Amino acid sequence: MGIRFDGVTVAYDGNVVLDALDLTVAPGEVMALLGPSGSGKTTALRAVAGFVRPAAGRVFLGDRDVTDLPPHRRGIGMVVQQYALFPHLRVEDNVAFGLRARKTAKAEIRTRVAEALEMTGMAAYARRHPRELSGGQQQRVAIARALAVRPDVLLLDEPLSALDARLRSGMLAELARLHRELPDVTILYVTHDQVEALTLADRIAVMDRARLRACGTPRELYRAPTDAFTASFVGGANLLPVTVGTGAVVLGDAEIAVGTAGIAPGAQATLCVRPHLIGLGDGPNRITGTVSEIQWRGATHRLYVEAGGHRVMADVRELREPPALGDEVTLHFAAEDAALLPAGVSGD
Ligand code: ADP
């Protein structure tokens, strides 16, 4: 069952925190809502769950307009950041909670609880209390509880952000596996972490200050972003001001051969190049400048190079002999690795 936001606006005390959101999530799709803190992601999720009432617009689950339905009548599973398990209930009773509230038959509850615990790898912990579990295990129980009601729609609100980095990547793989096992469940996944969004989502909706900035597959947003906010939020980017020529752009005193379709010669524009697609040394589309900072990041060196009043970031494979601060270096990149964005879409 799909989810559709139709002009959904939410305001607190007259403050608009979600501004006329139009977004459709297809049945069985994983949609990530990605954006910085405070951009309205959780509010959008809560509008689907029924915990906030839109000031305008409608929310649909499948063909059903659920805007006026209470949360428990929407058939949704939800997992939040802080697990929210009942501390006095054993794991199996936590997982059974939603089913008991729905007055499901006892035998059916037993089957579904066992199934949900099996699916999340928690079958051996059914008799424990939440305090006897690690953070990662508690979050698995929270996911089992959400799945036990066999929801058509699963809402996940920063489900991994309370876990440490190692557990997080394990749980990411687990969530991907769960989705493969339950391909019909539609998932709306709120996160501020681009790695989670790129890893899990079929499509990403990028939120910025109450608005939807862009929506597309991870590859589209990464390879061909249409605005500077998305380019820098999804993957990190050099955003270089350039003047458009014919079939090329001018950056400082260098001419760079990129496609300029749709932008008039003489206009100002922004050239977007990913740091890892910039090489050190001579090559096509050269930028020469002075090294102002070097960060060793294990597998790579991040160089910051001041060139013609701009700072360019380059992630190059770990160098045996990195340049020194103040050295003049030449950087280059392939024209097909650069995307040209119209000026005035920076998001600032
Ligand atoms: P995100 O999930 O992207 O971090 P939220 O949707 O939680 O953002 O919040 C968006 C904005 O709405 C924030 O500025 C937040 O402070 C505000 N906000 C959220 N919930 C409430 C509330 N219950 N009352 C007042 N303001 C709220």
Side-chain angles (χ1 to χ4, degrees):
M1 185 186 289
I3 305 168
R4 185 155 65 88
F5 295 87
D6 184 3
V8 174
T9 295
V10 175
Y12 291 110
D13 307 323
N15 227 345
V16 172
V17 301
L18 189 65
D19 193 358
L21 176 64
D22 287 317
L23 182 69
T24 301
V25 189
E29 188 174 33
V30 181
M31 176 75 80
L33 284 178
L34 175 69
S37 173
S39 55
K41 308 180 299 291
T42 296
T43 301
L45 191 101
R46 290 170 63 82
V48 177
F51 297 126
V52 291
R53 176 118 183 82
R58 313 299 296 176
V59 177
F60 293 86
L61 292 176
D63 297 333
R64 208 160 50 120
D65 181 340
V66 297
T67 320
D68 301 316
L69 280 187
H72 67 273
R73 297 201 34 217
R74 297 191 182 200
I76 279 175
M78 185 159 170
V79 177
V80 298
Q81 185 179 337
Q82 290 300 340
Y83 327 134
L85 299 177
F86 300 108
H88 58 287
L89 294 184
R90 294 181 192 279
V91 164
E92 57 190 4
D93 296 316
N94 263 287
V95 176
F97 190 84
L99 296 167
R100 293 204 175 112
R102 285 169 169 75
K103 311 248 182 293
T104 309
K106 270 200 178 135
E108 178 71 12
I109 292 179
R110 258 197 305 279
T111 312
R112 293 222 207 159
V113 167
E115 179 188 274
L117 287 175
E118 191 61 46
M119 215 177 259
T120 49
M122 290 301 292
Y125 300 85
R127 305 285 299 159
R128 293 212 190 166
H129 282 93
R131 64 173 179 276
E132 299 169 299
L133 301 176
S134 71
Q137 291 168 335
Q138 288 184 54
Q139 195 56 312
R140 282 166 195 265
V141 175
I143 293 167
R145 182 174 60 183
L147 292 177
V149 300
R150 294 192 183 152
D152 294 318
V153 169
L154 186 59
L155 305 177
L156 301 172
D157 189 358
E158 303 267 6
L160 308 184
S161 58
L163 307 177
D164 67 42
R166 202 176 51 83
L167 267 179
R168 216 166 27 233
S169 78
M171 280 296 284
L172 252 185
E174 286 284 297
L175 285 174
R177 179 188 56 79
L178 270 179
H179 184 59
R180 282 196 296 275
E181 286 177 19
L182 301 166
D184 297 332
V185 177
T186 307
I187 298 180
L188 191 58
Y189 188 100
V190 164
T191 181
H192 64 273
D193 182 319
Q194 47 148 323
V195 174
E196 288 176 24
L198 289 171
T199 309
L200 270 186
D202 296 313
R203 284 191 300 155
I204 300 174
V206 179
M207 300 289 298
D208 174 31
R209 288 173 293 178
R211 296 228 170 138
L212 179 66
R213 271 273 165 200
C215 182
T217 65
R219 196 177 165 78
E220 281 163 0
L221 295 184
Y222 190 80
R223 294 291 303 180
T226 52
D227 67 283
F229 178 85
T230 301
S232 49
F233 203 79
V234 182
N238 289 295
L239 298 170
L240 307 169
V242 291
T243 308
V244 177
T246 313
V249 297
V250 179
L251 172 71
D253 52 12
E255 273 228 336
I256 294 164
V258 294
T260 55
I263 305 182
Q268 299 299 305
T270 301
L271 192 69
C272 164
V273 195
R274 302 292 182 187
H276 74 278
L277 296 173
I278 294 188
L280 181 62
D282 216 355
N285 303 315
R286 259 175 290 143
I287 304 171
T288 300
T290 309
V291 176
S292 62
E293 198 177 328
I294 303 176
Q295 295 169 350
W296 178 62
R297 299 182 172 192
T300 59
H301 275 99
R302 156 75 55 103
L303 306 180
Y304 292 87
V305 175
E306 308 298 325
H310 311 298
R311 166 176 278 209
V312 181
M313 301 175 285
D315 290 336
V316 295
R317 251 181 55 192
E318 190 190 8
L319 297 164
R320 276 208 190 87
E321 290 174 42
L325 292 183
D327 279 3
E328 181 164 288
V329 294
T330 301
L331 305 173
H332 67 274
F333 57 89
E336 61 264 34
D337 288 333
L340 193 62
L341 310 174
V345 290
S346 70
D348 298 322

